[in-house]
Amino acid sequence: MKKFNIRKVLDGLTSSSSSAASLQSGNRENDMIQETLQSEHFQLCKTVRHGFPYQPSSMAFDPVQKILAIGTQSGALRLFGRAGVECFCQHESGSAVIQLEFLVNEGALVSALADDSIHLWNLRQKLPAVLHSLKFNRERITFCHLPFQSKWLYVGTERGNIHIVNVESFTLSGYVIMWNKAIELSSKTHPGPVVHISDNPMDEGKLLIGFECGIVVLWDLKSKKADYRYSYDEAIHSVAWHHEGKQFVCSHSDGTLTTWNIRAPAKPAQIITPHGKQPKDGKKPEPCKPILKVEYKTTRAGDPFMILCGGLSYDTVGRRACLTVMHGKSTAVLEMDYPIVDFLTLCETPYPNDFQEPYAVVVLLEKDLVLIDLAQIGYPIFENPYPLSIHESPVTCCEYFADCPAEVIPALYSVGSRQKRQGFSKKEWPISGGNWGQGTLSFSEMIITGHADGSIKFWDASALMLQVLYKLKTAKVFEKPRSKEEKSSTEIVDEDPFAIQILSWCPESRVLCVAGVSAHVIVYRFSKQEVTTEVVQLLEVRMQCELNEVESPECGGEQASAVSTPGTQSSPQTSLPQSHPSTSSNNSSDGLRDNVPCLKVRSSPLKQSAGYQVELLIQLVWVSGEPPQQITSLAVNSAYGLVAFGNGNGLAVIDYLQKTLLLNMSIAELYGSTDPHHRQPRSPRKTRQPSAGLCDGNDASAAPEEKCKSPTAKISRKINMIADQKDDARDNSFSRSRSSSVTSIDRESREVISSFYFCDSLSKKSETVAVPSLWVGTSLGSMLAIVLTVPSTPEQRMQQPLGVAFCGPVVRLKGGILRMAQLDASGTLLPHVYESWYEPNAPEEERERPQRRRPTSPPSTLENPDCQYAVVCSEKQAKVVAMPSQNCVYEHNITETSFVLRADVVTMTAGVGIACFCANGHIMTLSLPSLRPLLDVNYLPLTDMRIARTFCFSNQGQALYLTSPTEIQRITYIQETCDNLQEMLGELFTPVETPEAPNQGFFKGLFGGGAQSLDREDLFGEVSAGKASRSLAQHIPGPGGMEGMKGAASGVVGELARARIALDERGQKLGELEERTAAMMASADSFSKHAHDVMLKYKDKKWYQL
């Protein structure tokens, strides 16, 4: 444990301010501060990725291991097993994954990329790795096929050729099927790229090759020539075999399906247009859209299934994508919510030459994954156990909570389980491979996401898993316009007026407060009982744009009443909840909108199910034709019963228990006589910001009716509010440098409230006992304090007004204030004050209101008057200030060239520290209270707005951000979690016996009607086929190689492999024994023949004739 002596630090600390903390002179109150956090406690690594794969492009399924693989356009691989078993991998090139092929039950996967490379992945380890890569130099890859239980991969190219790759060594065979040899004289032109390759289910020596132009060739691998060629005048998209190998089906670009008998190449046996209108005069049906894929699956007991996507008629403009299931005489058209990327039919057997017995269809959509149950009437879908609905509505904000109270997650799960949809298939989720990890974390974790449609989702994120617990729809309290024409003229955003901008949640009391983009705040309380609210409790707040001539409150112990601007009700007794006023009746005489909120509140009774229920709705109103500025900071405290929110005009404090406005002040009034800025009174018309900082703030010429239309900027939280809003504000990257001057004339007029912190603190210099306080941080680096007088008993709290006293600035920093916290005299983080949860809808006599939980702090003494420390972190630096003397004891400049986007004071097993995420991509941690740098990693060199908006730290060394619009990436910055990560991750590969091959039957075996095997080694090996051209493809060995794959086959798998090798050796020895026996039999026959000849020669001779 390292000890820091303040005098030694003061005398000997000579390092630069950018790399070390500095101690301010004149501080004598703390002789020694003990710190436990050291740099060896920290290490940064990714843990898991949740959500739907962004921009999926391909899919594959292992029918034995029951693992699903999805490739994306950015080169990512996502592997799914049973619920909770997920894995993320990334190809280094970042090229799109065009095709995936499993080595069934071998724990390996082949991926083909758009950059004409193929890769072999080892899935037998918890973090899959590339074993081999092969990069084609002269030809573009268009299609791959890996037969079941084969080590030879067929690779079709854009030139129409087929190359063969040995997946064990990842070398090319000298055997090549050239396009001109395949089609010969059947076509005068090039047939186009290879779009399909498959071997005949009953004869591995026959390869079916589909060319884009409409020609299909049945190639004999042994004789190296085409047996049959099938030609159709429409382009081919896909081909599917009947399991008996006598027929195949092709899907075409005109919406037709052609069925061919392999021995009748002259014309198709059948041509159908599933969605075409059949003319009465017998003419050809009208062409339809292309059938992009078809699968033909047989059943032992009934009619076969033909499943296809596409093929709809052209008159169905605007119709959603459909999957068509044809079974016997019935045709079912299943509409999907998004376009179909790919689909696969899941069958009972992995063998292509047996009855397939399909039981489900996996449909990969652009933004969803759907599994359809083929065995039940109506084809219901399976309930998806994966957390793939993160992006159901775009995520606009995110908060992460670790070490939550134990009862919170079960409570949310209990109310959330009633929200589940009905009508799912009753069967178990069929993708059930893999095993869960053995290790676990000792604390519970929760993630809360706010969305563009106003919804909020609570997620259980414990043990590296993610499961939705509960969904709250905040838009239910507002009237929704039926059409765009009916939209209210008072709305300040064109799209998503209910989008969530900021979340504030108290886990202990379960009080939730949200701020939306339409300048509204909603307070929710958690209840296990259903209620019907006749009228939503509404409070309207008028926040002025201009500076008013108001006498500045003085710093001291005097109590000041709520200072209100014109239009507000300052008396807590008279500021009662009110119904929503009519928009038309609140226009001023000159036609400008005034005193009207942006959204219309619901007038009908609101039925509120168990869960989060509206306690109070707060709306900012238009002021003299000016829209309200969007809210930039928000905080709720259950112990005080208060909500504070702020923007560029000032701050407001609401008493949500009494439903009154406690405080409404401009920022200048907060400073009082200590205002360091020279502020000019200004007209709101001239500096109007129609989007309240979400669009460019310098656009002074915007018309009053103009609204912000940028969906990216619309949900940018407070980044643009705090940043310089000059030309560089239009740049979406965060590489710009920003002025650190806190007295910049061009920035002071845009000072906004950037953060709040409720606490029991010594905010005044004369205080000896901690009192309820509200700390306010601004975008110009000021931290100000407000002292609150809160009645002590619940009865007095509901009847008496709260008192307010202003203390002015406490400390100044460079850059906007992001985070504030409080330490006790020993450097331990003081927990926030809260009131434990109780049932708000219980009768008064049954209600047990718990006492307020407040942190214990030793009282100040004459020898040591400072017994608390305020921790303040801004965009540029961090400071630790002794309270109540307000002396700065530690200071650290975090960054000079960039700025901090997110900072949190976090608790870990080893101690307390500050975690920071900078705009240049660096993640840093600092010790407390000495602010020593402990970690600095360049993690995300290119930061975009989405990551900046959603990045958040939590306790116990965890963090997360939205890495794509549909995926959450979780990371850890703690060494302990990194060390235990392998244990906690699930296993994809599990030892499973491959099902037995189908029985051929006596007569098929006797007359040769069964499946014909092929010795591919003999055909494609180097001995017979020779070596491929070296310039055709380049082999790139992976980090593991085949040795890594063999080494991964441990335990039962290794035993199975050894048993298989032993069986092979035994079979080889038996074969040799059989050959020796046959030789001995031949020798015996020869000896018998010679003996017989000798006997005949001497048979009739006398003894004396011998």
Side-chain angles (χ1 to χ4, degrees), residues 518-755:
S518 296
H520 63 274
V521 174
I522 311 176
V523 183
Y524 287 92
R525 301 186 76 164
F526 185 85
S527 173
K528 294 181 179 179
Q529 300 177 14
E530 185 178 296
V531 294
T532 300
T533 305
E534 295 297 327
V535 179
V536 174
Q537 300 281 295
L538 172 64
L539 201 60
E540 293 180 352
V541 179
R542 180 184 176 95
M543 297 181 82
Q544 291 282 60
C545 293
E546 61 266 312
L547 299 176
N548 296 304
E549 296 297 329
V550 180
E551 186 178 344
S552 300
E554 297 198 4
C555 179
E558 309 150 11
Q559 298 293 325
S561 62
V563 179
S564 60
T565 52
T568 59
Q569 296 167 318
S570 60
S571 169
Q573 285 82 2
T574 57
S575 179
L576 299 173
Q578 51 188 304
S579 300
H580 178 71
S582 161
T583 303
S584 59
S585 62
N586 283 272
N587 287 353
S588 58
S589 57
D590 59 354
L592 296 173
R593 289 181 284 274
D594 191 53
N595 268 358
V596 291
C598 303
L599 300 174
K600 190 176 180 183
V601 181
R602 179 188 181 119
S603 55
S604 57
L606 176 63
K607 183 180 178 182
Q608 302 195 81
S609 304
Y612 275 100
Q613 299 169 353
V614 179
E615 177 81 4
L616 179 65
L617 169 62
I618 305 150
Q619 286 188 292
L620 299 186
V621 296
W622 286 64
V623 179
S624 303
E626 286 298 308
Q629 290 198 9
Q630 289 181 331
I631 293 162
T632 57
S633 55
L634 176 72
V636 65
N637 186 273
S638 58
Y640 309 150
L642 298 178
V643 170
F645 59 88
N647 58 17
N649 292 334
L651 72 92
V653 180
I654 305 294
D655 182 344
Y656 69 78
L657 295 177
Q658 295 185 18
K659 314 290 191 296
T660 57
L661 175 66
L662 177 65
L663 190 65
N664 182 8
M665 302 187 69
S666 70
I667 299 173
E669 290 168 333
L670 268 178
Y671 284 104
S673 58
T674 60
D675 191 351
H677 308 298
H678 176 67
R679 300 176 192 269
Q680 296 276 340
R682 54 195 170 89
S683 167
R685 300 279 175 83
K686 293 177 182 176
T687 57
R688 178 176 185 273
Q689 296 179 13
S691 62
L694 294 177
C695 289
D696 185 35
N698 291 306
D699 187 7
S701 62
E705 291 78 24
E706 187 177 340
K707 301 165 185 174
C708 176
K709 298 182 180 179
S710 168
T712 305
K714 178 180 58 187
I715 50 183
S716 65
R717 206 163 58 107
K718 54 191 176 187
I719 295 164
N720 286 348
M721 302 285 296
I722 300 169
D724 288 332
Q725 294 184 340
K726 290 183 176 292
D727 293 337
D728 60 350
R730 294 188 181 92
D731 187 3
N732 201 26
S733 72
F734 288 96
S735 58
R736 64 181 186 272
S737 62
R738 295 166 16 138
S739 168
S740 61
S741 170
V742 293
T743 57
S744 173
I745 294 172
D746 64 333
R747 290 181 63 192
E748 64 181 27
S749 62
R750 286 187 292 278
E751 184 173 17
V752 300
I753 305 295
S754 58
S755 59

Side-chain angles (χ1 to χ4, degrees), residues 1050-1105:
S1050 58
V1052 181
V1053 182
E1055 293 297 330
L1056 286 171
R1058 284 192 287 274
R1060 189 179 297 168
I1061 293 167
L1063 281 172
D1064 289 344
E1065 290 174 353
R1066 185 174 172 232
Q1068 189 175 349
K1069 289 176 181 176
L1070 285 172
E1072 291 172 1
L1073 181 62
E1074 191 177 349
E1075 287 174 5
R1076 285 201 298 269
T1077 306
M1080 287 174 68
M1081 287 180 68
S1083 177
D1085 287 343
S1086 176
F1087 178 77
S1088 174
K1089 185 179 178 183
H1090 285 299
H1092 185 67
D1093 290 343
V1094 170
M1095 185 270 292
L1096 291 176
K1097 181 178 179 181
Y1098 298 105
K1099 180 180 176 184
D1100 298 325
K1101 290 187 178 181
K1102 302 293 183 182
W1103 64 269
Y1104 52 82
Q1105 293 175 331

Side-chain angles (χ1 to χ4, degrees), residues 10-182:
L10 181 62
D11 295 336
L13 191 63
T14 56
S15 57
S16 67
S17 63
S18 62
S19 62
S22 64
L23 182 70
Q24 301 298 308
S25 61
N27 183 48
R28 297 282 186 271
E29 79 279 355
N30 200 11
D31 292 337
M32 194 170 287
I33 297 174
Q34 296 182 342
E35 290 188 356
T36 53
L37 275 183
Q38 303 298 329
S39 57
E40 56 263 24
H41 289 131
F42 294 93
Q43 183 186 345
L44 193 70
C45 69
K46 294 181 180 179
T47 53
V48 288
R49 183 174 292 202
H50 302 294
F52 183 77
Y54 183 57
Q55 295 181 331
S57 55
S58 56
M59 177 172 59
F61 182 71
D62 187 324
V64 180
Q65 286 288 319
K66 298 197 181 302
I67 295 288
L68 183 75
I70 296 176
T72 73
Q73 292 181 24
S74 59
L77 271 181
R78 291 286 298 279
L79 295 134
F80 296 91
R82 65 180 61 194
V85 177
E86 296 181 36
C87 185
F88 168 79
C89 315
Q90 177 69 48
H91 291 92
E92 285 186 10
S93 67
S95 295
V97 181
I98 58 174
Q99 199 171 346
L100 295 169
E101 291 280 331
F102 271 103
L103 276 71
V104 175
N105 205 27
E106 294 292 334
L109 175 73
V110 174
S111 57
L113 271 58
D115 65 354
D116 309 309
S117 62
I118 55 176
H119 308 267
L120 178 66
W121 290 84
N122 175 20
L123 307 183
R124 296 192 180 212
Q125 55 196 57
K126 290 192 173 184
L127 292 172
V130 173
L131 296 171
H132 295 286
S133 298
L134 195 65
K135 179 77 167 65
F136 281 75
N137 298 322
R138 297 193 307 220
E139 298 196 52
R140 313 273 341 242
I141 298 172
T142 55
F143 195 88
C144 295
H145 171 63
L146 181 65
F148 179 51
Q149 293 182 325
S150 168
K151 69 174 184 180
W152 297 96
L153 173 75
Y154 301 105
V155 180
T157 69
E158 196 173 45
R159 293 186 183 178
N161 304 324
I162 294 177
H163 302 278
I164 299 164
V165 178
N166 184 326
V167 293
E168 285 183 355
S169 60
F170 246 52
T171 54
L172 276 171
S173 166
Y175 191 115
V176 182
I177 304 172
M178 304 300 289
W179 68 269
N180 52 354
K181 188 84 184 288

Side-chain angles (χ1 to χ4, degrees), residues 359-361 371-376 378-382 425-427:
Y359 59 90
V361 181
L371 254 79
I372 299 164
D373 187 350
L374 291 178
Q376 290 189 36
Y379 304 131
I381 65 171
F382 289 88
S425 170
K426 294 180 172 57
K427 293 184 179 177

Side-chain angles (χ1 to χ4, degrees), residues 47-51 78 81-86 385-388 390 400-401 409 434-441 443-447 458-469 958 960 968 970 981 983-987:
T47 53
V48 288
R49 183 174 292 202
H50 302 294
R78 291 286 298 279
R82 65 180 61 194
V85 177
E86 296 181 36
Y386 309 134
L388 302 183
I390 292 169
Y400 192 6
F401 300 87
I409 290 177
N435 283 324
W436 294 312
Q438 300 300 315
T440 184
L441 297 171
F443 50 88
S444 59
E445 298 169 89
M446 276 191 60
I447 297 170
F458 292 78
W459 305 83
D460 179 5
S462 306
L464 296 185
M465 297 188 187
L466 193 67
Q467 179 185 9
V468 68
L469 293 171
Q958 311 300 313
L960 64 80
I968 286 176
R970 289 165 69 178
L981 186 60
E983 272 187 58
M984 292 186 284
L985 293 174
E987 291 180 304

